[in-house]
Amino acid sequence: MEAVISFLVLALSPQVIVSEFPTTISYRAIVETVSGDSRIFSGERLSLRCINPVAYNASWDYLWFRESVQLPQTGEIYYLRNANVKESGKYSCQGKRETDVGTLKTLRSLPTEIHVDGGFVILQMTKRPVLTGDTLDLKCRLRGNAPVHQTILYRDGIEVMVQSGSSLNFHLPDVTLEDEGSYSCRASWDLSHRTHSVMSVPTLVNILEVLTEPVLEIEKDNAQLERNKMKLICHVQYNARAPAPPVNYYFYKNNNLLGPSISLNHMLIRKDAGWYSCRVKVPKLDIVRWSEPQRFGEVAGPPLMPPRPHHRIQMTSRSPPHTSSAPETQPESPKYFASAPSSVEHTESPSPSSPSSESPVSTSLPTSGQLPGQTQTPEPQAGSLGLF
């Protein structure tokens, strides 16, 4: 809104010096994938869209970047057609608009990484982000239509799943943080009395907690606070998908509850020595997390430890059915180029002495150099960009 007001003032004031025009507005563009996947084979298509959250119903143009290099293609949609492995990288965009008093630009978007693979198999994730308790869905995608009879999924080089048959999909239910890692897959098939096997390059899988462990901050020196007041702030990251269920916050002194639950992550109390902590609960998901106690003032003795965090999903390690490592060497093959609400003040209220019980390896290629029934296509030339 400030950028709009500033623009209007400048437009209506002929005596304003042009050099004072703000060339960048404090809004960041967003990149989204329109078609394709973040991992594609060379020769395939992919399109990205640049979204401007502050278009103001005006005409905007868009600049595109790979890493720090500005690309020649402009416009809302960026097209990769007949993609080349050299076009792999982190893509970002920026909104741009020409005005009577200068060029106005958005902040550059956060990067989206695109990987163009010149081999014959890639491992794709069907859903991002992945949260604890989700089913991790992975697809071992093969170039061509080879009669696959076995697929193997690896995490950090260790087998975690082996499938017989033609299925190329893997499903790991109820994942935890311990399921994070670098995943790859191997597909094998028999043809003309020979076994062919190809392996993907690794794909990094990150898993987020729905609710992270809270961290309590005690703010006592803020000039806006009264001298005898301090502010408790419960910092937590909440990753539930929209529409996200509401979160309740509880604050404690020496494990005694300081008032009822609130929907704000902070509260004002009078300064008093003690051990302070906070608890965060998502009732609909049955998830509760506690912060570590924080000391304020002179306190005798060790902290009173609250109950340990409780999860709807227990953090247990997944025992892989197979523990053999992925082969270190692969068959020799041709090389492919490849807003925080206002504070709420509480006073300490009597409560029980304890809280409520509501508490990259290169892709291996077939030894024949190509898949059965497939004509080998030469690698696209570097820098060959096509537009629809």
Side-chain angles (χ1 to χ4, degrees), residues 293-304:
Q294 298 292 329
R295 180 174 61 185
F296 176 76
E298 296 295 329
V299 182
L304 299 173

Side-chain angles (χ1 to χ4, degrees), residues 119-147:
F120 283 104
V121 64
I122 53 180
L123 185 63
Q124 295 179 333
M125 294 178 59
T126 60
K127 178 174 58 178
R128 295 174 187 268
V130 181
L131 305 179
T132 53
D134 282 351
T135 295
L136 175 60
D137 297 314
L138 300 167
K139 181 176 182 179
C140 191
R141 184 165 170 249
L142 193 66
R143 193 198 294 259
N145 297 305

